[in-house]
Amino acid sequence: MSVSTAALDSSVCAPLPVLGQDVTVPLVTGGEVTYAALDYAASAPALQRVWDDVAAYAPYYGSVHRGAGYLSQLSTDLFENSRRTVAEFLGCRADDQVVFTRSTTDSLNLLAAAIPADCQVFVYETEHHASLLPWRDAQVTYLNAPRTPAQAVETLERALAARDPYGPALVCVTGASNVTGELWPVRELAAAAHAHGARIVLDAAQLAPHHPVDIAELDVDWVAFSGHKLYAPFGSGVLAGRADWLRAAEPYLAGGGASRKVARRADGGVDVDWHTTAARHEAGSPNVIGVYSIASACKALTEAGFDSLVAREQELVGRVREGLAAVPEVQVLSLFGDDAPRVGVISFVVRGWNSSHFAAALSAEYGIGVRDGLFCAHPLVRTLLGSDPQDPGECGAPEAEPGELPQPSAGGTPSSLRSLNAIRVSFGAGTPDEHIDRFLRAVSELVREGAQWKYRTEDGRCVPDRGEAAQV
């Protein structure tokens, strides 16, 4: 059965209910259409289940820890039970810690602040900036983009073999690329790291919403992910894994909650006894609702069954890839090749189109939300596009003829607009079939017939010109 033309198999689960399914948006050409949210890799819509759980708890909201009142005690129980739920979701080992943060970026910056002073860090240039940039105080080795999973392992093994074998070392790697969606050989990389006396942290921001992540099975030392990509809004994240470096490090934030006892010394100074639990790095009043929303999402995905969720998503991936392959002007970006397993994240460029222009037309004329740019992974996208690192990397469209972009005609746009960025379509457990079908139809029509409207750059973004429609 061809996934590009046939309905999904009845054995595959239906989309999970998410917020915003019935939201309509105006089209520049007139009328309204139900919004097609295809930017899951940036922020996935909240599961209805998560929203309902949070709404039920909201009247009982209270500040956690040490409060004598009923609501405070209830919130404390909910907060700590959420920690246990996340630990189960990740398959944490008995002595692992689950620390709640603001995001994946916050989690990896926390870990960067906790690594030993003489730690060597190894990170691929293909990483999201959240994984690429936090290691500013460490000795960092940046590894070139591999072109196969085997090459990724070989590159790491060579780099680790050349390091100082006596000092601590840390490898940071993504589980699924936020640009290509390709799955990385995490288990093999973890084995290579450990064979050379190094530890490994997994950036699971794009993996956890699409596949089960088991710390013990993958044999990684830490996992970081964000709630807002796991169908749980409200700005919370997780760092889970080995406790020893976290216990030995200075608290990520100094303040209430991180300290067990504070006392004045005779000389007028202050002595602090810091917690050795996860609370050591959770100073201040935590985001209880955000934490609970993550736990709710973990439960919802587990109960829905990852096998069926993965099966349906792979059907959608196949349909999108087949549909894009049918348009000769479209080039899908890939590190590992067409046969590489991937999640529902696909980036591409369209010959003759500026990517910002194309994304703007998808939004304004079809009600489809995608993303254009370098996706906070500038070295990777530039490698995939073959562009020079010195090329301008702004996400907006380049200006031409007093701010107005050359308009596409049937068969493409002027070749003078070369791609310095890309378009990313991403989807997941809440994506309806119709959104995928509309997206593929829109890509085909825009390439074949051109945009129906004129566009211009404004504040670095490509936007519809509120004047006349394009003459096509």
Side-chain angles (χ1 to χ4, degrees), residues 363-381:
S363 174
E365 300 179 26
Y366 295 90
I368 298 170
V370 296
R371 184 157 294 240
D372 68 275
L374 300 175
F375 316 126
C376 291
H378 294 188
L380 171 56
V381 178

Side-chain angles (χ1 to χ4, degrees), residues 9 84 137 180 284 290 296 300 462:
D9 190 287
R84 285 186 282 273
D137 297 328
T180 67
S296 174
C462 184

Side-chain angles (χ1 to χ4, degrees), residues 236-324:
S236 283
V238 169
L239 176 67
R242 305 287 183 194
D244 54 348
W245 285 6
L246 299 176
R247 288 194 186 115
E250 287 294 306
Y252 185 49
L253 296 173
S259 56
R260 285 190 296 199
K261 183 174 67 173
V262 180
R264 291 292 302 274
R265 296 194 304 265
D267 64 5
V270 173
D271 285 326
V272 183
D273 181 15
W274 302 105
H275 279 293
T276 58
T277 63
R280 184 183 189 88
H281 299 291
E282 294 176 347
S285 297
N287 182 355
V288 184
I289 289 181
V291 165
Y292 182 45
S293 71
I294 289 180
S296 174
C298 290
K299 288 181 180 179
L301 292 173
T302 300
E303 291 169 4
F306 261 115
D307 286 346
S308 57
L309 293 174
V310 169
R312 181 174 189 275
E313 183 175 309
Q314 289 308 301
E315 292 270 18
L316 297 180
V317 169
R319 288 169 68 176
V320 171
R321 287 181 57 79
E322 235 180 86
L324 293 178

Side-chain angles (χ1 to χ4, degrees), residues 83 97-101 107 110 237-240 246 277-279 281-282:
R83 200 187 304 275
Q97 284 188 352
V98 173
V99 181
F100 290 118
T101 66
S107 295
L110 190 165
V238 169
L239 176 67
L246 299 176
T277 63
H281 299 291
E282 294 176 347

